[in-house]
Amino acid sequence: IKHPLQHTWTLWYFEPDKNKTWEENQRKVTNNSLYNHIKAASELQIGCDYSMFKQGIKPMWEDEANKCGGRWLLNLDRKLRNMDLDRFWLDTLLCIIGEAFNGYSDEICGAVVNIRGKTDKIGVWTANAKNKDSVLEIGRKLRERLKISSKVSICYQIHKDVMVKSGSQAKNAYVV
Ligand code: M7G
């Protein structure tokens, strides 16, 4: 049977372990782990991530597919964890896997949810930060599909800026 989706996707799980490097802490979620319960994002421990990326792309800045790219970033106050986080993450997955970005889905590399102490984060990673039209269109579409309130703006950060700043402190290259 022809695959009904355009791409094959890989789910990654990050759990912080101080004895390992950041990269070693990224694990592919294999078929075996599907026999266990895959927790909702809101049930993960602080410090953990899920990443869903196109097959062959690692969920890291250094990957060939990501190195010129950036991410649309949605900051979610911890207080929203019970209410909104799982819905936002699920809708984000549906957008990327369902190729919802009109002609721009080729620009999508993947998406990440970071569970953190104060502010959880959802990032949609795109391939080339210089492709302004596609970056903006993806941002607008994301706003629309996630039904983000017009009072809230979402910002795009270039990975190269995030690498040298720290976490969410990087400047915003685009805003929608
Ligand atoms: P984070 O988990 O993206 O956000 O980055 P946080 O600051 O809210 O926890 C935390 C740290 O993880 C970074 O400062 C890096 O040391 C490491 N890290 C994160 N990412 C996404 C990467 C990556 O793509 N490559 C490498 N080498 N380290 C990363």
Side-chain angles (χ1 to χ4, degrees):
I1 304 172
K2 193 171 178 287
H3 206 284
L5 300 173
Q6 290 289 320
H7 292 93
T8 304
W9 296 81
T10 304
L11 180 66
W12 299 75
Y13 172 61
F14 176 96
E15 193 176 273
D17 175 345
K18 282 188 236 93
N19 300 314
K20 293 191 179 133
T21 65
W22 181 88
E23 189 175 354
E24 285 167 347
N25 285 328
Q26 287 281 7
R27 298 285 187 82
K28 279 187 196 177
V29 176
T30 61
N31 282 334
N32 277 340
S33 24
L34 291 174
Y35 290 100
N36 301 316
H37 170 63
I38 292 185
K39 289 182 178 151
S42 61
E43 294 176 82
L44 296 181
Q45 298 288 317
I46 306 285
C48 294
D49 308 330
Y50 277 138
S51 304
M52 183 71 91
F53 274 71
K54 284 177 180 165
Q55 191 175 50
I57 305 180
K58 286 189 181 166
M60 56 197 297
W61 308 314
E62 295 88 343
D63 192 281
E64 201 58 35
N66 295 320
K67 67 177 195 198
C68 299
R71 63 172 174 179
W72 279 109
L73 182 62
L74 191 59
N75 287 300
L76 295 163
D77 193 281
R78 172 180 59 183
K79 295 186 202 99
L80 299 177
R81 196 172 294 155
N82 292 324
M83 294 227 341
D84 288 335
L85 178 72
D86 292 331
R87 173 181 81 77
F88 277 131
W89 176 236
L90 195 61
D91 285 353
T92 301
L93 292 178
L94 288 173
C95 281
I96 65 168
I97 295 172
E99 315 255 333
F101 301 102
N102 303 331
Y104 298 113
S105 288
D106 280 353
E107 288 282 319
I108 301 289
C109 297
V112 181
V113 58
N114 306 115
I115 306 302
R116 297 294 182 270
K118 262 195 177 154
T119 315
D120 300 322
K121 289 178 278 185
I122 291 177
V124 172
W125 289 34
T126 77
N128 197 328
K130 292 209 171 93
N131 291 348
K132 188 176 178 187
D133 290 349
S134 40
V135 172
L136 287 174
E137 184 54 32
I138 289 166
R140 285 190 209 107
K141 200 74 195 171
L142 200 61
R143 274 200 83 89
E144 182 190 313
R145 293 284 297 252
L146 268 53
K147 301 189 184 70
I148 296 169
S149 149
S150 52
K151 289 173 216 145
V152 180
S153 50
I154 55 169
C155 302
Y156 187 89
Q157 300 174 334
I158 300 170
H159 296 319
K160 288 205 170 95
D161 295 337
V162 177
M163 264 180 227
V164 295
K165 294 284 165 139
S166 77
S168 318
Q169 303 311 312
K171 69 173 183 215
N172 299 317
Y174 309 103
V175 178
V176 292

